Amino acid sequence: MANNRIVFNVAGNMYRLIVSFNYRYRSGYIKFFGTHAEYNKVDAATVDQT
């Protein structure tokens, strides 16, 4: 996925988690967590939920 992001299916595909990884600093940042319906409304490559 773009921007070093990975999408995880959580709780038997009930929820989606998008994490952006900074491999140089060995850290991950949660960019989105929500239901499949909410996930379908966002662009996974650019979403930045704060």
Side-chain angles (χ1 to χ4, degrees):
M1 173 155 282
N3 296 333
N4 294 326
R5 294 178 182 210
I6 298 175
V7 178
F8 296 95
N9 290 313
V10 180
N13 289 335
M14 290 179 55
Y15 299 97
R16 288 273 176 105
L17 172 67
I18 301 174
V19 180
S20 174
F21 286 98
N22 184 325
Y23 296 104
R24 181 177 181 190
Y25 295 106
R26 297 180 182 163
S27 59
Y29 303 94
I30 296 174
K31 296 297 186 175
F32 173 83
F33 182 79
T35 64
H36 264 282
E38 294 169 332
Y39 172 80
N40 289 335
K41 296 177 184 177
V42 301
D43 179 12
T46 61
V47 68
D48 192 12
Q49 195 175 55
T50 56

